[in-house]
Amino acid sequence: MEAILIQAFNGLSLGSILLLIALGLAITFGLMKVINMAHGELIMIGAYTTYVMQTIFTQYMPAGLFDLYFILAIPCAFIVAALVGMLLEYTVIRHLYGRPLDSLLATFGVGLILQQTARSIFGAPNVGIVSPSFLEGGMNVFGMTVPVTRIFIIGLVVVCLLILAFYLYKTNSGRRTRAVMQNREMASCVGISTRRVDITTFAIGAGIAGVAGAILTLIGPIGPAIGTYYIVDAFMVVVVGGVGMLVGTVVSAFGVGVMNTLFEYWTDASMGKVLIFVLIVLFLQWRPSGLFSLRTRSLD
Amino acid sequence: MKSVVANYMISRKWLLLALVILLILLPFVLSDFRVNLLGRYLAFAILVIGLDLLWGYMGVLSLGHGIFFGLGAYIMGIHLKMEASSGGLPDFMMWSGMTELPWFWTVLQHPVIAILAGIIVPMIIAVILGFFTFRNRIQDVYFTILTQALVMVTVTLLISRQDVTGGTNGLTGFSTIFGFSLSDPATQRVIYYVTLGCLVIILLICSRLINSLFGKALIAIRDGENRLRFSGYDTSMFKVLVFTISAGIAGLAGMLFVMQVGIISPTQIGIIPSIEMILWVAIGGRGTLIGPVIGAILTNSAKTFFSESYPDIWLYFLGAVFVIVVIFLPGGLMSLGKKLKRRNSNEKGQTNSKADYSAS
Amino acid sequence: MKKGKKTEHTRLIAGFIGLVCFLLMLTACGDGGEAASDQAEAQMHPSETGEEVNIDESEQIPVGILHSLSGTMAMSETSVYEAEMLAIKEINEAGGVLGKELVPIVEDGASEPNIFSERAAKLLQQDEVDVIFGGWTSASRKAMLPVVEDNNGLLFYPVQYEGMEASPNIFYAGAAPNQQIVPAVDWLLENEGTEFFLLGSDYVFPRVANQIIKAQLEENGAALVDEQYTPLGHTDYNTVISRIRESEPEVIFNTLNGDSNVAFFKQLADAGITSDDVTVLSVSVAEEEIRGIGADVLAGHYASWNYYQTTDTPENEEFVAKYKEAYGDDRVTGDPIEAGYFMVHLWAQAVEAAGTTEVDAVREAAAIEFNAPGGPVVIDSDNQHVYKTVRIGEVGEDGQFTEVWNSDEPVKPDPFLEEYDWASDISGTLAGE
């Protein structure tokens, strides 16, 4: 019984990480139809931003304030990644709206450049960070010990999700975003600046990737190539969830997370990975446009 | 209109002829090592013809051609490994505690079976995959991402079943091919010309195909699949067919590749190589058969040149080429002349370069 | 009609431009081959950057260096490459080899085995080097093996590996299993416990290493509680950690590779499992990896190597100082870095002894003792591996190792484990060949 509970928690925890890396993609891919292969590199930028914050704190701040670095790193990672995202949108992506497959190739190239840039700035080996002390140790939940880090990640994902949902559904600029994504011409006709919406939306998607990067430093490596570990998983989550629907991404992230953990528990990690991908392929045969999708009567 | 098409064909023919003559003559001036490299590029060039049929003409982007390329390469690799170990167990099987050869290794011992399998097995897999995927109308981006998932599955399986596949080490240490020593420059030269021959034959067959009604249907699928479907064509069967053909071509390319490189490992067929293959098509010019061939040879020569001399710069360069080609030169090198000309002549009203490549 | 004709012409032009480019590229390649211009070389011959370096046979000896400077393995191999360059610089400053200057020709293996094979062929055939220093992964070594054998070149390989190989054209400067894994298991059995959990990345080295360990455990009557493999680059270790909790091992023998170590150790620490609860002994975590993982989560765990930055020899003191001086004070050395450094010196001394760089003569003369930073090393003339001292170290809070045990004297390399009866099932058929 306890084993099942622990595995359920592990699944939830993996799901939250998947959701975090897929959320930014759900916006850029789901809402804007841009396949951003450089998403992984935006995650990397977030991770390195955290590393830089730590370095600044160890060098210039009193030791007592050290734990604060991580709290500050999260918004910083958002801002840095969002700025890079804006630059990317302005130089590359804006030429490619309506050409999703071309955007895939171009952003893959951007990803290569960003990776190599990171390698020349920070060196090829991984860099390390020290987790803030308030995230150390375990907590007792329903009689099992779970790492505080994992709880923190789940909490942060929920917060990100709430902020994003609030932005998209309750604020004016969020409504404009959805309007543009649903019908660009019509939105443009009623006076919405589609250019501005595009660039903001892309920046937000990139920023969330940055936050994901900051969080991932707690549980994984920080190096030039870390984006490549996450990018395919992130795409799978978005595609399974259904393009253009945040709720789909949420359901699919936790679904994939729990399934993956279970498969891994029943078999081993390699087979677990194979099974989950096979399952995704089969699932798409059954529902080609994912769990949830916008209904539309248009064909082409 | 007819003469336009004819002229167009003639120019392609001359270009092809020049290219082939050049490729026939090059081995006489290059060192053995360079010829061997060029032979590898030609294997890639064969691969991209299939990809171009699929993407350039039909608008279906597969990021999973590494799988078919890898299947062909692994099948030939297994055959060569069997020749090298003369029926005994390869070393990696011994460490993994295997005591006898798996059945598909024994089957592939026969050269004819190996060659046929290298083409047919990828095709069978492509038929099965394509049939369900295209029947279920998984389109565009979804198909592309689905193929990525398949690459992940294949690579993970290849690595984790190392008792029969050699794992991350892949298959290497071949000695002879059909009885001839692989390290002998003469054998390598023969393989080079065989590769060139395969390239020319496939190029000719495919250009035949493209200029037939069948080819028109492919372009129609790219430009407006639903319209074609409403006209009574079964578009998904076309897609399955082309997907299968291109998988077979990729398998052949894989076989020729492994003969010249002497190694096949999972990194060669992963996600990044699969995307790089697409780049070769894009650089040369999608929707022109000869363009991607030139693109593959050119990009790989550049890769060798840059990474021999400036390993750091290569990745920047590769990345920049991806961006530049996609944004500024969607027609690839083949459209370069047209582009330059347009810039020179100040003709008005020629702003729509998208028209040709509305595919994606 | 007119438009069509224009298109035709322009396409033709475009095509020919393409062809011309291609030709240029090929000729450039032909020249570029000899022009070994690389940033590293630029450091050494600043005046020759980007120009062709013509090897003057009477004054210079070309040597090949082939590591991944890009791709996923760059994070480990870059440092080894730097150590090799340092050794070459030292040798040149001391007057070179046979009175000639060593000229390194650097190639990038790009973390892909087939590129390793291609570049090894280029170095041996085109640049006509007699020796290549390079490789890291087993895959890269296996890829270069047929190339160096066919061209009768020499490869010096700097990393510990799974054994079961002894090519006459390869010198193995890293540890064979009996110089790292076997003594580590013995030490663990004696000091830490008898219930083993084997955790590795899913590829050749961990699989073979674990075969060996399982046979050794059986021989010693110790228990194997679980054996898990995760795909390369795996980053979620929750499930593995759950299994560790359930099976309650006394020892985890860790053969994870690269980035996975970071994820595993961080998550193990997060789960509240410390070195007091279970001992983790790693064979792929050196000083440089510790910096990427964070010393705080590793403290108290062990590693088995032949060299640590803290190893107390006069040669090491000098080596560490030189390495830091050349590449920065914040850099650390480690076992593969040390191996990369001493194998260049070993080769140079063998060449001096042979009086030529010619491969067969060097191989004959290679049984030379050299005082490496990690203690004296000698090449075993039977299998071309190196006699090395085995050392087990504990990770401290500062990310450096404290040696807790060593083998006192260099251990004879035994890649096929012929000396160990319990390993006969694994090695028997292979060694018989």
Side-chain angles (χ1 to χ4, degrees):
Chain A
M1 184 58 206
E2 206 200 328
I4 296 173
L5 263 181
I6 287 180
Q7 275 319 99
F9 176 79
N10 287 346
L12 199 67
S13 159
L14 179 61
S16 66
I17 290 159
L18 286 174
L19 180 56
L20 199 58
I21 56 179
L23 205 54
L25 210 60
I27 296 171
T28 50
F29 177 50
L31 297 178
M32 304 176 77
K33 308 286 181 296
V34 169
I35 305 186
N36 182 14
M37 288 296 277
H39 187 75
E41 276 60 49
L42 293 168
I43 292 177
M44 171 200 80
I45 288 173
Y48 272 115
T49 310
T50 314
Y51 169 71
V52 170
M53 285 301 286
Q54 177 192 263
T55 317
I56 292 174
F57 265 72
T58 36
Q59 281 183 352
Y60 302 106
M61 298 286 188
L65 292 175
F66 178 74
D67 281 351
L68 276 180
Y69 91 88
F70 195 75
I71 303 294
L72 277 175
I74 295 174
C76 280
F78 181 90
I79 292 166
V80 173
L83 286 176
V84 174
M86 269 173 149
L87 188 70
L88 181 61
E89 204 276 347
Y90 188 74
T91 50
V92 177
I93 308 283
R94 72 187 169 110
H95 301 286
L96 299 170
Y97 287 115
R99 294 157 67 191
L101 294 181
D102 280 355
S103 70
L104 183 153
L105 296 177
T107 49
F108 180 77
V110 172
L112 287 182
I113 296 175
L114 289 176
Q115 262 185 46
Q116 193 59 21
T117 313
R119 201 167 279 134
S120 20
I121 297 176
F122 297 98
N126 286 336
V127 296
I129 67 147
V130 179
S131 296
S133 57
F134 60 86
L135 289 179
E136 276 168 15
M139 250 168 91
N140 228 323
V141 181
F142 302 124
M144 42 177 196
T145 327
V146 293
V148 178
T149 321
R150 297 292 176 145
I151 304 269
F152 176 75
I153 293 175
I154 295 174
L156 199 96
V157 172
V158 173
V159 171
C160 282
L161 199 62
L162 287 178
I163 295 176
L164 189 66
F166 179 80
Y167 171 78
L168 280 178
Y169 292 95
K170 297 290 173 202
T171 64
N172 279 334
S173 83
R175 287 195 189 97
R176 278 198 288 276
T177 309
R178 284 190 300 133
V180 171
M181 300 319 154
Q182 282 170 17
N183 193 332
R184 182 171 290 268
E185 284 78 22
M186 189 60 82
S188 180
C189 286
V190 297
I192 297 174
S193 163
T194 55
R195 274 301 300 138
R196 196 196 277 160
V197 168
D198 284 339
I199 205 161
T200 341
T201 315
F202 196 82
I204 291 175
I208 294 177
V211 174
I215 298 297
L216 286 172
T217 60
L218 292 175
I219 58 161
I222 310 166
I226 61 165
T228 51
Y229 297 146
Y230 303 111
I231 183 78
V232 179
D233 292 354
F235 269 112
M236 296 307 146
V237 167
V238 176
V239 168
V240 168
V243 166
M245 302 290 278
L246 275 187
V247 60
T249 310
V250 176
V251 174
S252 109
F254 286 106
V256 170
V258 171
M259 293 292 230
N260 197 352
T261 320
L262 285 179
F263 286 149
E264 186 182 334
Y265 191 70
W266 288 330
T267 58
D268 57 51
S270 292
M271 274 322 280
K273 194 170 159 191
V274 168
L275 285 175
I276 195 76
F277 278 112
V278 169
L279 192 75
I280 289 172
V281 170
L282 292 179
F283 174 82
L284 285 177
Q285 305 289 340
W286 174 54
R287 293 198 75 129
S289 50
L291 276 173
F292 298 83
S293 57
L294 283 172
R295 299 236 162 148
T296 165
R297 282 164 183 274
S298 71
L299 252 176
D300 270 337
Chain B
M1 197 57 207
K2 199 166 185 182
S3 71
V4 174
V5 176
N7 276 333
Y8 183 72
M9 285 319 297
I10 288 166
S11 76
R12 293 286 172 79
K13 263 187 191 145
W14 282 111
L15 189 55
L16 174 64
L17 199 65
L19 184 69
V20 170
I21 291 173
L22 183 72
L23 289 174
I24 289 175
L25 293 179
L26 272 174
F28 295 100
V29 292
L30 292 175
S31 68
D32 289 339
F33 172 65
R34 293 290 161 198
V35 174
N36 182 263
L37 281 186
L38 192 58
R40 295 172 196 195
Y41 308 159
L42 291 187
F44 287 140
I46 294 176
L47 168 85
V48 294
I49 296 176
L51 268 179
D52 190 35
L53 275 188
L54 193 62
W55 182 43
Y57 286 97
M58 210 173 62
V60 173
L61 180 59
S62 158
L63 292 184
H65 263 53
I67 301 173
F68 305 121
F69 181 80
L71 272 173
Y74 264 94
I75 284 170
M76 188 35 87
I78 289 174
H79 173 73
L80 294 176
K81 193 78 190 170
M82 291 289 285
E83 266 197 55
S85 60
S86 54
L89 281 180
D91 52 1
F92 63 83
M93 286 194 188
M94 291 187 214
W95 313 330
S96 318
M98 299 278 284
T99 47
E100 57 185 286
L101 286 166
W103 63 269
F104 57 91
W105 276 70
T106 354
V107 170
L108 291 172
Q109 196 161 15
H110 198 284
V112 179
I113 295 181
I115 292 178
L116 289 178
I119 300 172
I120 292 171
V121 172
M123 288 177 91
I124 293 173
I125 293 194
V127 168
I128 298 169
L129 270 176
F131 183 79
F132 288 105
T133 310
F134 294 122
R135 268 288 139 122
N136 290 321
R137 305 242 184 108
I138 299 183
Q139 284 172 341
D140 293 350
V141 181
Y142 292 91
F143 176 78
T144 306
I145 291 176
L146 189 134
T147 53
Q148 275 197 322
L150 292 170
V151 172
M152 294 291 280
V153 171
T154 314
V155 171
T156 315
L157 271 181
L158 275 177
I159 293 177
S160 71
R161 290 310 311 276
Q162 64 156 333
D163 47 349
V164 293
T165 62
T168 40
N169 283 3
L171 300 173
T172 180
F174 313 134
S175 55
T176 57
I177 177 162
F178 314 135
F180 299 98
S181 165
L182 267 173
S183 54
D184 184 358
T187 318
Q188 283 301 333
R189 244 153 236 247
V190 172
I191 298 176
Y192 173 83
Y193 283 114
V194 170
T195 313
L196 183 57
C198 289
L199 175 67
V200 173
I201 292 170
I202 290 198
L203 207 53
L204 290 178
I205 294 176
C206 287
S207 69
R208 257 273 154 85
L209 212 57
I210 288 308
N211 290 301
S212 65
L213 258 175
F214 180 79
K216 301 272 181 298
L218 300 192
I219 296 170
I221 289 176
R222 178 186 78 189
D223 293 342
E225 185 179 351
N226 284 324
R227 296 181 195 186
L228 199 66
R229 189 181 291 132
F230 298 154
S231 318
Y233 285 84
D234 185 353
T235 54
S236 51
M237 284 331 273
F238 276 95
K239 285 186 174 177
V240 176
L241 189 58
V242 175
F243 189 55
T244 310
I245 293 172
S246 79
I249 294 176
L252 174 70
M255 285 199 288
L256 292 164
F257 176 81
V258 89
M259 288 176 196
Q260 304 184 61
V261 179
I263 175 170
I264 181 69
S265 70
T267 48
Q268 184 56 41
I269 64 177
I271 285 195
I272 292 176
S274 298
I275 297 182
E276 262 185 62
M277 292 169 191
I278 299 295
L279 179 73
W280 305 333
V281 182
I283 286 184
R286 59 186 101 151
T288 63
L289 284 175
I290 190 126
V293 170
I294 296 175
I297 300 173
L298 208 60
T299 320
N300 280 294
S301 312
K303 180 175 187 170
T304 307
F305 170 69
F306 273 98
S307 51
E308 268 175 12
S309 313
Y310 315 97
D312 285 357
I313 297 176
W314 166 245
L315 281 176
Y316 287 117
F317 180 77
L318 187 68
V321 167
F322 262 105
V323 178
I324 291 167
V325 166
V326 169
I327 296 178
F328 300 107
L329 208 61
L333 285 177
M334 294 300 277
S335 70
L336 197 63
K338 190 161 62 176
K339 201 111 182 167
L340 290 175
K341 198 148 196 175
R342 184 181 305 153
R343 193 146 296 176
N344 291 340
S345 63
N346 287 325
E347 286 176 9
K348 285 180 184 171
Q350 285 199 24
T351 47
N352 195 2
S353 65
K354 269 190 204 164
D356 296 352
Y357 304 100
S358 52
S360 45
Chain C
M1 197 69 65
K2 196 180 159 208
K3 198 180 167 201
K5 206 144 198 164
K6 194 176 277 173
T7 328
E8 174 229 319
H9 275 277
T10 49
R11 297 239 178 192
L12 201 58
I13 293 166
F16 276 113
I17 291 175
L19 272 182
V20 170
C21 290
F22 163 62
L23 261 183
L24 281 176
M25 200 72 80
L26 268 178
T27 44
C29 284
D31 300 339
E34 285 100 57
S37 44
D38 180 84
Q39 88 272 38
E41 204 162 329
Q43 284 169 6
M44 309 184 73
H45 311 276
S47 58
E48 290 171 11
T49 321
E51 286 171 32
E52 231 175 279
V53 180
N54 286 316
I55 302 292
D56 178 354
E57 294 275 331
S58 61
E59 299 274 321
Q60 294 172 317
I61 300 173
V63 294
I65 292 196
L66 178 47
H67 285 288
S68 298
L69 303 177
S70 61
T72 46
M73 290 313 298
M75 64 177 186
S76 307
E77 291 189 57
T78 315
S79 308
V80 181
Y81 147 78
E82 287 170 346
E84 288 163 5
M85 295 303 281
L86 179 67
I88 291 175
K89 200 172 123 202
E90 273 177 28
I91 292 168
N92 281 340
E93 277 169 5
V97 174
L98 303 174
K100 298 177 188 176
E101 185 193 10
L102 296 182
V103 181
I105 299 178
V106 182
E107 291 288 346
D108 176 16
S111 312
E112 280 184 39
N114 68 312
I115 305 271
F116 269 97
S117 120
E118 176 191 316
R119 294 302 142 86
K122 185 242 169 195
L123 285 169
L124 294 170
Q125 293 176 6
Q126 190 124 14
D127 302 323
E128 295 180 341
V129 303
D130 289 313
V131 64
I132 297 175
F133 304 101
W136 177 289
T137 58
S138 284
S140 67
R141 190 190 65 254
K142 287 277 183 205
M144 289 187 280
L145 187 144
V147 180
V148 287
E149 284 188 352
D150 285 346
N151 294 288
N152 195 26
L154 276 186
L155 170 68
F156 278 76
Y157 174 72
V159 185
Q160 42 78 249
Y161 80 115
E162 67 276 4
M164 311 296 152
E165 190 182 296
S167 162
N169 291 80
I170 301 183
F171 283 90
Y172 304 81
N178 77 312
Q179 294 169 308
Q180 185 188 29
I181 295 167
V182 176
V185 172
D186 281 337
W187 182 83
L188 286 168
L189 286 171
E190 204 168 297
N191 296 292
E192 295 291 335
T194 54
E195 293 186 350
F196 275 58
F197 186 110
L198 304 183
L199 173 64
S201 291
D202 201 352
Y203 76 109
V204 178
F205 169 69
R207 292 258 181 195
V208 177
N210 287 350
Q211 293 269 33
I212 296 169
I213 296 169
K214 280 190 284 185
Q216 198 180 351
L217 291 180
E218 199 173 320
E219 172 73 14
N220 289 289
L224 169 74
V225 297
D226 203 349
E227 182 183 1
Q228 287 296 321
Y229 298 95
T230 59
L232 288 163
H234 194 64
T235 50
D236 191 89
Y237 281 88
N238 261 335
T239 305
V240 168
I241 289 167
S242 297
R243 286 184 204 272
I244 291 173
R245 276 188 200 282
E246 277 169 32
S247 54
E248 294 180 337
E250 290 171 294
V251 174
I252 299 173
F253 201 98
N254 165 26
T255 43
L256 287 175
N257 172 279
D259 284 351
S260 291
N261 276 310
V262 186
F264 171 66
F265 279 107
K266 278 187 179 174
Q267 292 170 25
L268 191 70
D270 280 343
I273 301 176
T274 64
S275 53
D276 298 334
D277 305 314
V278 58
T279 304
V280 184
L281 185 138
S282 313
V283 289
S284 306
V285 175
E287 285 84 343
E288 193 151 60
E289 283 77 28
I290 294 177
R291 294 206 310 169
I293 300 170
D296 54 331
V297 296
L298 268 172
H301 292 301
Y302 296 93
S304 171
W305 289 108
N306 306 106
Y307 164 88
Y308 300 107
Q309 184 173 323
T310 51
T311 298
D312 188 20
T313 64
E315 289 83 11
N316 188 34
E317 207 169 297
E318 195 189 329
F319 170 60
V320 173
K322 275 184 181 165
Y323 188 81
K324 285 184 182 250
E325 190 195 16
Y327 300 113
D329 253 349
D330 58 332
R331 299 293 300 274
V332 288
T333 61
D335 183 293
I337 296 173
E338 183 245 10
Y341 172 81
F342 82 66
M343 72 187 187
V344 177
H345 280 287
L346 261 184
W347 175 79
Q349 296 209 344
V351 171
E352 288 286 358
T356 167
T357 59
E358 204 268 317
V359 171
D360 298 316
V362 172
R363 191 186 298 129
E364 287 295 307
I368 279 174
E369 178 161 331
F370 177 75
N371 279 326
V377 290
V378 189
I379 289 177
D380 184 298
S381 45
D382 294 338
N383 52 36
Q384 313 210 84
H385 288 58
V386 170
Y387 280 77
K388 305 181 97 173
T389 311
V390 186
R391 300 169 195 277
I392 288 170
E394 183 182 348
V395 185
E397 294 284 347
D398 58 350
Q400 289 294 335
F401 287 95
T402 316
E403 192 173 298
V404 293
W405 178 86
N406 71 48
S407 61
D408 291 329
E409 52 176 13
V411 173
K412 181 180 161 56
D414 183 5
F416 295 100
L417 298 171
E418 286 159 316
E419 304 284 308
Y420 304 86
D421 291 336
W422 48 262
S424 58
D425 277 354
I426 305 166
S427 61
T429 33
L430 278 171
E433 283 174 1

